[in-house]
Amino acid sequence: MSTIEDYILIRKIKAGDTEAWEKLVNKYYSQIFSYCVRRCLGDRVLAADLTQDIFLRIIENIEKYQFSGKFFNYLFTITVNVCNNYYNKLKFAQSELDEKVLSLGSETIMTNLLLQESVNQIQAALNTLPDIQREAIILKYYHDLKVKDIAKITGTSVSTSQSRIHQGLKKLSKLLDREEFMNG
């Protein structure tokens, strides 16, 4: 994820180079899509729609983009905002969403514990976390972002981001009854 490469691509995009836009999308699409899948509780269709919306917003606003940091952080800030706006527009009461996710997640966790450890088990446990903790954990462990970058992307302080990760890991370790999550 070279900052220089992004700078060159964005300059070309601003000059009307459609191939540069295609390269930029190809470079980041899978990371944005995988974040959206996790953020959308595994709903791949919704994640694809949100990913498309994210890249649409990027291209619509590319002329306004200023090189003040990593483009990746800018992209993930938009990604987080698009996902949050989607859920806000649906006007889900947070408690109703948490209850629904918790009941669905518990059944999934029990089923997976009986079968074997799997990605589905971890996803189900992730689904039960509050959005802010799930978001921080996804950015840290699935996208290898530093806590300071997570803080920038989510608009919080480093200590708040660290706290969200720590609290989320504690909840995951209880759900999964595994100590290695705390050592990650």
Side-chain angles (χ1 to χ4, degrees):
M1 286 178 255
S2 160
T3 303
I4 295 169
E5 183 183 339
D6 290 346
Y7 175 80
I8 292 167
L9 285 173
I10 292 166
R11 292 223 16 197
K12 287 180 177 180
I13 292 166
K14 286 182 176 188
D17 186 338
T18 56
E19 282 184 30
W21 170 246
E22 196 172 314
K23 284 180 186 175
L24 189 73
V25 171
N26 288 336
K27 182 175 179 181
Y28 291 114
Y29 186 89
S30 63
Q31 290 177 297
I32 299 303
F33 177 71
S34 70
Y35 171 84
C36 290
V37 168
R38 290 181 182 96
R39 183 68 174 74
C40 298
L41 312 177
D43 184 338
R44 298 178 73 79
V45 173
L46 175 57
D49 288 346
L50 291 176
T51 302
Q52 192 170 15
D53 189 35
I54 289 160
F55 282 103
L56 183 63
R57 288 183 191 206
I58 296 291
I59 197 63
E60 287 173 346
N61 296 299
I62 199 78
E63 288 299 324
K64 298 176 196 165
Y65 176 72
Q66 300 293 315
F67 296 96
S68 58
K70 295 178 188 172
F71 176 74
F72 187 75
N73 288 352
Y74 172 76
L75 179 59
F76 260 91
T77 300
I78 290 174
T79 300
V80 166
N81 288 337
V82 166
C83 290
N84 288 341
N85 289 343
Y86 172 79
Y87 283 105
N88 290 339
K89 284 180 186 172
L90 289 180
K91 296 185 181 179
F92 276 122
Q94 185 62 45
S95 60
E96 290 173 18
L97 180 62
D98 287 346
E99 264 181 54
K100 182 179 177 186
V101 169
L102 194 56
S103 66
L104 290 173
S106 299
E107 293 170 22
T108 305
I109 290 168
M110 290 306 293
T111 303
N112 286 333
L113 283 173
L114 295 173
L115 298 173
Q116 65 181 4
E117 287 185 7
S118 69
V119 171
N120 292 337
Q121 179 184 4
I122 294 169
Q123 180 66 54
L126 265 176
N127 292 352
T128 66
L129 295 179
D131 286 346
I132 57 175
Q133 290 172 356
R134 182 172 56 246
E135 181 176 88
I137 287 174
I138 291 169
L139 291 171
K140 172 86 173 129
Y141 293 100
Y142 288 90
H143 297 283
D144 296 321
L145 291 179
K146 295 178 181 166
V147 177
K148 67 177 185 171
D149 291 331
I150 294 169
K152 282 181 192 173
I153 288 167
T154 58
T156 61
S157 67
V158 170
S159 60
T160 297
S161 291
Q162 287 173 325
S163 174
R164 288 176 179 177
I165 292 166
H166 180 72
Q167 292 301 318
L169 289 176
K170 277 176 59 175
K171 289 176 185 174
L172 282 176
S173 70
K174 284 181 187 173
L175 283 169
L176 298 171
D177 194 31
R178 301 167 90 199
E179 291 302 315
E180 69 256 31
F181 278 92
M182 293 306 295
N183 301 325

